Amino acid sequence: MTTDQPETRPPAILLLGPTASGKTAAALALAATLPVEIVSVDSALVYRDMDIGTAKPTPAERAACPHHLIDIVSPEQSYSAAAFRADALRLMDEIGARGRIPLLAGGTMLYFKALRDGLSDLPPADPALRRTIDADAARLGWPALHAELARLDPQAAAQLEPTDAQRIQRALEIVRLSGRPLAESYARRDDSPLGHRLVPIALAPSDRHVLHGRIERRFDQMLVAGFIEEVERLRSRYRLDLGMPSMRCVGYRQAWEYLDGKFDRDTLRFRAIAATRQLAKRQLTWQRQFRERWPELVELDCLSERLAEDVLAAARRGLRA
């Protein structure tokens, strides 16, 4: 995405990376030196009262620098990539008007892609249709719904596992609402130009085993901090179910099933850590695709002892460009 005079656009820094890669610390290190305001790029941090399991920045961390797009919706609600793009573009303009630099930091790679590349013209979520699809899945199983998708849109079904409930649900929803294959819907794009020049910095581990160790230790810390009790409070305070996006967040689904008595605490720990590692793997796959398509992207080793200095140096180079 370009404009006739891209050099005249104010900059915005993107800081992306997998879970447990140190994005929060790196963002705060930038905030200690540069006049930035942080815009969260995280589909879990938008939810109120989901603090421990999302590794939400602490009140002290949020007080050190202005933060945006945290605690903005109820766990009963949905928040989409389209909503993020609209909110982020508005905030970037507002932050720039204050003479400051937007720093968009997080790990929801779809949001970064939507921001930079625009959005496909997809129908919004239809709660009634989703409930129907979920009911069919409960009765027939997700492989049967995958088979239905294969009849309606063979190309889309070929790209999904028969047990990938979330993506099968959305694919069926789009095909049923639009009456056209996913590829055709995705080809229709809103790619309105950005008002900012993006400076993307990606964090990636030089050794995934070390990142996996971080993930394990962090989840253990969440358990000690009261993660199970947090999910209990959410269940008592809100009208939630496992089909809602908030409860599909990594860790929350496993904690919900533990509270339902489906398995013991050791199994909860094993399943949540495994799911988080899979999330990190998907995030790194996104980043590899970004690296291939975004020539301006700078990738740094998130395990470096000099990570804060490396991020600051990369940001300064990008801001001077």
Side-chain angles (χ1 to χ4, degrees):
M1 189 178 305
T2 61
T3 64
D4 292 337
Q5 293 181 307
E7 70 280 357
T8 66
R9 294 176 294 164
I13 302 169
L14 308 186
L15 180 63
L16 51 149
T19 185
S21 60
K23 297 182 295 295
T24 297
L28 291 172
L30 286 178
T33 303
L34 299 174
V36 302
E37 295 188 25
I38 297 173
V39 178
S40 170
V41 187
D42 191 303
S43 60
L45 297 192
V46 298
Y47 294 113
R48 292 188 288 271
D49 296 321
M50 292 174 56
D51 303 330
I52 298 172
T54 62
K56 196 170 287 181
T58 66
E61 290 170 335
R62 292 166 68 175
C65 172
H67 284 66
H68 305 277
L69 299 188
I70 296 177
D71 293 338
I72 60 172
V73 298
S74 161
E76 297 170 331
Q77 298 173 302
S78 298
Y79 188 77
S80 66
F84 166 78
R85 190 173 196 266
D87 286 341
L89 292 177
R90 171 181 55 80
L91 286 165
M92 290 163 70
D93 288 341
E94 292 174 0
I95 293 167
R98 290 192 284 270
R100 301 177 69 83
I101 302 169
L103 168 57
L104 293 96
T108 300
M109 302 303 171
L110 175 62
Y111 287 6
F112 281 114
K113 185 177 188 302
L115 178 70
R116 184 186 184 276
D117 298 338
L119 281 165
S120 301
D121 180 20
L122 301 177
D126 184 314
L129 178 55
R130 288 193 172 188
R131 286 193 293 271
T132 298
I133 294 172
D134 284 341
D136 290 343
R139 181 168 50 89
L140 303 172
W142 285 106
L145 271 69
H146 182 268
E148 179 190 346
L149 180 63
R151 292 192 296 273
L152 297 174
D153 189 344
Q155 182 179 351
Q159 298 175 18
L160 300 177
E161 294 293 331
T163 56
D164 193 342
Q166 186 170 355
R167 290 177 175 82
I168 293 172
Q169 180 201 60
R170 180 58 175 153
L172 276 175
E173 180 184 40
I174 292 170
V175 172
R176 290 184 185 180
L177 289 173
S178 68
R180 57 178 182 256
L182 259 66
E184 183 179 338
S185 293
Y186 277 105
R188 304 184 181 194
R189 304 191 66 81
D190 168 19
D191 57 357
S192 52
L194 297 176
H196 285 71
R197 174 176 60 85
L198 301 181
V199 179
I201 302 169
L203 309 183
S206 53
D207 185 340
R208 288 200 187 187
H209 294 293
V210 177
L211 183 68
H212 291 171
R214 284 188 182 182
I215 288 170
E216 183 173 343
R217 289 190 297 275
R218 189 171 73 171
F219 188 72
D220 286 339
Q221 292 166 357
M222 289 176 179
L223 290 174
V224 171
F227 175 49
I228 301 301
E229 292 76 15
E230 176 176 271
V231 180
E232 286 181 313
R233 289 193 298 272
L234 288 166
R235 284 162 51 122
S236 65
R237 185 175 302 172
Y238 298 99
R239 299 180 63 182
L240 300 173
D241 61 62
L242 280 179
M244 293 179 173
S246 61
M247 292 299 102
R248 288 177 176 170
C249 293
V250 167
Y252 286 87
R253 172 180 290 276
Q254 292 78 19
W256 183 292
E257 292 175 337
Y258 163 76
L259 290 170
D260 280 348
K262 293 188 176 180
F263 41 73
D264 61 20
R265 193 179 179 97
D266 288 341
T267 304
L268 157 66
R269 179 181 181 275
F270 174 81
R271 291 191 176 189
I273 290 172
T276 309
R277 288 177 176 176
Q278 286 298 312
L279 170 62
K281 181 180 179 181
R282 293 193 298 272
Q283 290 168 316
L284 289 168
T285 298
W286 275 97
Q287 285 188 195
R288 184 173 65 250
Q289 295 171 354
F290 292 163
R291 197 166 61 239
E292 294 169 354
R293 300 171 186 173
W294 301 1
E296 70 275 29
L297 180 72
V298 174
E299 189 168 86
L300 302 173
D301 180 13
C302 68
L303 306 180
S304 169
E305 295 181 356
R306 292 179 45 84
L307 179 60
E309 294 92 332
D310 294 342
V311 170
L312 179 58
R316 282 177 165 160
R317 286 194 302 270
L319 294 174
R320 289 195 300 266

